[in-house]
Amino acid sequence: MSKTIKWGILGTGWIASQFTKDLAYASNGEAYAVGSRTAESAEKFAAEYGIKKAHASYEDLVNDPEVDAIYVATPHPFHKENVLLCLRAGKAVLCEKPFTVNAGEVEELVSFARENKVFLMEGMWTRFLPAICKVREWLNEGKIGEIKLVKADFGFRANYDPEGRLLNPKLGGGALLDAGIYPVSFASMIFGAEPEQVWSTAHIGETGVDEEFSLLFSYGSGKTAQLNGAVRLGLTNEAFIYGTDGHIRIPSFLNAYTAELHVNGNVTTFEDDRESIGYAFEAEELGRCLIEGRTESSVIPLDESVSIMKLLDQIRGQWGLRYPFE
């Protein structure tokens, strides 16, 4: 395989635009084709972002012989069928988070990908940001001693739109899948995705989805994660990792540009001066994996994605929240 991955973009919404704009900064990939449900939408998107090919259907996109990898950028409930379409065509897939709407769906995707030896990865873009990579380096070096507590929040106040993606249960709306998966995945990166005990509370809004929630995970040995998420409440969106010898603060951890290491009254600050939004880093990871012949990433392994989705299912079970299509 060449060192330049030719990307296909499946979907033409906001997140597809963000990812495509950022591909210009990827060292090993380019936006080559886009697929939509209509020719008009595909052609408009291709013209806006300088993409060579516009396909009037998802099927045409996945069957394009020049496409190496596909970024799935459709709403949550369509991820499973869209990813399967790509995998059946033998295309490597980066699927925007959340992978699917429940664990059963993602297990089906992982099984198919592994049986057919096709690359598959969840688009948890924060894992690949330089500041988060530096945090993992500090933790691996034991800079703050034994990790005891993780605190992370991600929340914003969206406009009230019952039919919009965020609040519509038919589209898998709610804070947990859209915003909450970020702090949950952050805690998983540090402590693992299988806490010993899980406590949670949520506010279920008028449309029947979770608008705000709080989580408390216990991992035993005094290790705890305190996490919050919201789509109708603005939060500080910071993350903290506390250890026996110091702590780490990550302002705006979702799209982190900086990370602070606090030890013995001294502060070491990592600063990222990137021009990109940050999606290019996950695209580069997929490219590296393909070029090296790997079928999954070690930074966000498929088994971890499955465990995280099982955890989200468990949390929703505590709230009695099920989507209409489940």
Side-chain angles (χ1 to χ4, degrees):
M1 180 173 290
S2 70
K3 293 184 179 180
T4 299
I5 303 301
K6 292 182 177 179
W7 282 88
I9 312 299
L10 194 151
T12 55
W14 180 82
I15 194 64
S17 298
Q18 298 293 99
F19 180 84
T20 303
K21 283 190 291 187
D22 235 39
L23 270 179
Y25 296 95
S27 61
N28 59 6
E30 64 170 334
Y32 177 81
V34 60
S36 184
R37 289 172 294 182
T38 67
E40 180 183 8
S41 177
E43 289 166 4
K44 180 181 177 181
F45 192 93
E48 183 172 357
Y49 297 107
I51 296 175
K52 295 177 183 177
K53 284 188 176 181
H55 293 288
S57 71
Y58 298 155
E59 288 77 12
D60 286 348
L61 174 68
V62 304
N63 289 311
D64 185 329
E66 293 296 314
V67 171
D68 299 311
I70 294 179
Y71 173 64
V72 173
T74 50
H76 311 338
F78 308 112
H79 285 181
K80 178 193 156 186
E81 64 180 88
N82 295 155
V83 171
L84 273 177
L85 182 70
C86 300
L87 294 176
R88 286 172 178 148
K91 302 299 186 184
V93 178
L94 175 66
C95 180
E96 178 57 30
K97 63 81 202 164
F99 224 144
T100 58
V101 293
N102 58 46
E105 288 190 350
V106 74
E107 285 177 317
E108 184 176 341
L109 296 181
V110 170
S111 293
F112 187 93
R114 285 176 168 167
E115 287 171 7
N116 293 276
K117 297 180 173 56
V118 184
F119 184 91
L120 178 62
M121 185 174 97
E122 181 179 11
M124 183 50 64
W125 68 298
T126 55
R127 286 282 175 102
F128 303 94
L129 298 175
I132 302 300
C133 293
K134 175 56 71 172
V135 168
R136 286 201 298 272
E137 182 181 312
W138 285 337
L139 296 178
N140 290 336
E141 293 172 351
K143 295 289 189 182
I144 62 171
E146 184 181 3
I147 305 165
K148 288 292 188 177
L149 174 64
V150 170
K151 297 174 68 176
D153 302 335
F154 178 52
F156 52 90
R157 184 165 176 81
N159 293 329
Y160 185 75
D161 179 5
E163 297 303 316
R165 181 180 63 82
L166 291 174
L167 297 179
N168 188 341
K170 294 179 181 178
L171 295 177
L176 187 64
L177 290 191
D178 196 84
I181 192 170
Y182 287 111
V184 170
S185 183
F186 184 77
S188 174
M189 180 184 78
I190 297 164
F191 284 139
E194 299 179 0
E196 292 182 2
Q197 292 179 286
V198 176
W199 297 272
S200 68
T201 183
H203 167 63
I204 307 300
E206 294 180 7
T207 65
V209 303
D210 54 305
E211 295 185 359
E212 298 102 31
F213 68 81
S214 295
L215 309 174
L216 178 63
F217 298 162
S218 171
Y219 300 86
S221 303
K223 295 177 170 60
T224 305
Q226 300 173 3
L227 315 171
N228 299 284
V231 292
R232 292 281 289 156
L233 185 67
L235 303 178
T236 61
N237 303 337
E238 291 188 313
F240 293 86
I241 307 167
Y242 296 94
T244 53
D245 297 329
H247 74 275
I248 294 170
R249 173 178 176 255
I250 312 169
S252 188
F253 83 97
L254 180 77
N255 62 342
Y257 282 84
T258 63
E260 301 170 0
L261 174 65
H262 296 252
V263 179
N264 297 325
N266 298 314
V267 181
T268 301
T269 301
F270 172 88
E271 296 186 0
D272 173 19
D273 60 355
R274 70 180 186 270
E275 295 180 6
S276 68
I277 304 168
Y279 295 98
F281 300 114
E282 63 177 356
E284 288 179 334
E285 170 71 1
L286 180 144
R288 284 190 295 269
C289 290
L290 284 192
I291 292 166
E292 294 168 7
R294 290 185 281 149
T295 55
E296 63 181 276
S297 167
S298 60
V299 180
I300 179 75
L302 293 175
D303 285 341
E304 184 185 4
S305 290
V306 170
S307 293
I308 289 173
M309 191 55 66
K310 287 181 177 178
L311 183 55
L312 299 184
D313 284 356
Q314 179 183 351
I315 293 164
R316 281 200 297 125
Q318 292 182 355
W319 304 341
L321 193 157
R322 289 179 62 87
Y323 303 113
F325 46 79
E326 288 187 293

